[in-house]
Amino acid sequence: MAENNHDAAEEGDNQLLSALPKKEGMWKPFFLYRGCWLTPRSVTSITLLQSQFAPRPDDVVLATFPKCGTTWLKALAFAVANRSRHPAGSGAHPLLTTHPQDLVPFLELPHRDVHPVAALDGLPSPRLLSTHMPAPLLPLSISALGCRVVYLCREPKDVFVSSWHYMNKVTADFSLDMDATFELFCEGFSLYGPLWDHVRGYWEQSVAEPDRVLFLKYDDMMADAGKHVKMLADFLRVPFTDEEVSGGAVEEVVAMCSFENLKSLPVNSSGVSDRIGGMPMENSSYFRAGKVGDWKTHLTEEMAKKLDCIVEEKLRGSGLTF
Ligand code: A3P
């Protein structure tokens, strides 16, 4: 983006941000933009995206609340969609040398470093894209054009624990107290929060338009990854053939994208990358425990009950439970 556009965007940001509710408690203040807590950079990126992004009917968007398994979903979707060119398990597979986060770009790229439209316009069709945006913040043209969305959610207590660990790695001189952060999470204050609004928004879309929005749960995927890989392939319109199934192609995708395998690869276990601008993170920070129910080793019974009650109440009537 030209420097004068930078300045204009920055000025616009400041005007917009100064009108939004602001809250401290994380590594930097967050702003409440249309019901969603965001960093200042995300507000800018999302507003730019809403006015400038040109979706294509064959785009597929992988949508997640942070720490719900985005990295895993990116790896699986990339492996499934590109398996005719890159068979899973082949010695030259891109997942062996590229972090899954970098194989599927986020829609809400930071405007300062990569102009979102220019960066995304250059990608060949069909595009696999990703986002942490809640459904109401997605550019309206995405649903109007019928772009498909894969949404992956996760048990909220595990999401909290995973995000607490992750956020403690954001900067060396910053640490979050678990109890205080938990209270904020219960108030709905977390990056892209409230969690329940995020999940409910995509859930309701998936109920209304099941052919356009595929709703997945991390715990179900952990219990039977093969079933979900097949489901994903059907949804991406690249179903596994009988020969592929009998030849073990599904299991190869599952094995290549497993937590243990991805975590062990040098590209994912070493080095630091600044993917979203101003927030360098260790590549390994996307692979921590990879377990269902890890909250049990971090939260008291009382904390667990409190969050369960809030989530139950917020999802009441939707048909969605955890
Ligand atoms: P934990 O912190 O509970 O281990 P995201 O990718 O949305 O940032 O989510 C990160 C969470 O997904 C982390 O959870 C991480 O360990 C887990 N994860 C990463 N890769 C995975 C994989 N291949 N299979 C299962 N879980 C994975």
Side-chain angles (χ1 to χ4, degrees):
M1 191 192 281
E3 198 49 47
N4 57 347
N5 285 348
H6 264 307
D7 294 345
E10 199 63 20
E11 194 187 308
D13 293 347
N14 292 337
Q15 272 178 14
L16 174 61
L17 291 174
S18 64
L20 298 178
K22 179 180 172 184
K23 194 168 162 79
E24 310 273 350
M26 300 295 167
W27 68 95
K28 59 165 65 177
F30 287 0
F31 291 82
L32 188 66
Y33 176 66
R34 292 172 53 191
C36 179
W37 286 108
L38 298 167
T39 63
R41 236 169 217 273
S42 304
V43 174
T44 303
S45 292
I46 289 171
T47 49
L48 277 171
L49 191 83
Q50 280 160 351
S51 61
Q52 299 173 8
F53 177 59
R56 303 174 194 159
D58 56 358
D59 285 342
V60 175
V61 179
L62 310 179
T64 52
F65 188 84
K67 311 325 287 177
C68 286
T70 319
T71 316
W72 189 21
L73 182 62
K74 285 187 179 194
L76 289 171
F78 180 91
V80 165
N82 292 288
R83 69 186 190 280
S84 61
R85 263 189 309 153
H86 304 295
S90 70
H93 198 285
L95 273 167
L96 298 178
T97 48
T98 309
H99 197 290
Q101 285 289 345
D102 300 328
L103 286 173
V104 182
F106 273 107
L107 281 171
E108 56 271 33
L109 296 170
H111 75 277
R112 273 187 172 281
D113 306 318
V114 189
H115 189 289
V117 175
L120 300 170
D121 280 353
L123 299 173
S125 293
R127 294 182 297 189
L128 264 184
L129 304 164
S130 68
T131 188
H132 285 322
M133 280 184 278
L137 288 193
L138 284 184
L140 286 176
S141 45
I142 287 186
S143 58
L145 270 186
C147 302
R148 281 159 298 147
V149 175
V150 181
Y151 185 73
L152 174 61
C153 70
R154 189 179 186 187
E155 206 289 320
K157 300 190 289 303
D158 279 340
V159 177
F160 168 72
V161 168
S162 183
S163 64
W164 180 77
H165 280 285
Y166 184 80
M167 286 189 300
N168 272 308
K169 295 192 166 184
V170 170
T171 58
D173 56 356
F174 166 83
S175 71
L176 282 174
D177 173 70
M178 161 84 74
D179 290 345
T181 315
F182 180 78
E183 289 308 317
L184 291 173
F185 193 84
C186 288
E187 288 167 22
F189 184 64
S190 60
L191 190 57
Y192 289 93
L195 167 76
W196 35 87
D197 289 349
H198 204 282
V199 177
R200 189 170 180 147
Y202 282 102
W203 169 256
E204 287 174 350
Q205 283 199 344
S206 77
V207 171
E209 299 174 273
D211 294 338
R212 194 178 72 77
V213 182
L214 177 66
F215 190 94
L216 303 173
K217 288 178 166 173
Y218 179 96
D219 296 14
D220 294 347
M221 284 189 13
M222 289 290 273
D224 190 346
K227 179 178 131 187
H228 288 81
V229 163
K230 281 196 235 161
M231 212 188 271
L232 197 52
D234 291 344
F235 189 76
L236 295 176
R237 298 185 188 146
V238 284
F240 284 89
T241 62
D242 292 344
E243 294 74 42
E244 282 185 299
V245 172
S246 58
V250 176
E251 287 75 15
E252 278 180 3
V253 169
V254 171
M256 186 176 63
C257 299
S258 72
F259 177 78
E260 292 73 22
N261 186 54
L262 291 181
K263 185 183 167 89
S264 72
L265 297 173
V267 66
N268 299 327
S269 62
S270 60
V272 173
S273 303
D274 185 3
R275 297 195 165 81
I276 57 171
M279 205 171 126
M281 295 294 290
E282 287 168 20
N283 289 321
S284 61
S285 59
Y286 296 87
F287 304 92
R288 190 185 61 89
K291 285 186 193 147
V292 170
D294 192 40
W295 63 265
K296 289 178 193 145
T297 54
H298 292 84
L299 304 186
T300 63
E301 271 306 309
E302 197 187 332
M303 289 163 101
K305 267 197 201 128
K306 177 169 177 169
L307 187 51
D308 283 348
C309 284
I310 292 170
V311 171
E312 198 189 311
E313 194 230 306
K314 299 289 183 183
L315 296 183
R316 190 165 296 145
S318 69
L320 174 64
T321 54
F322 284 99

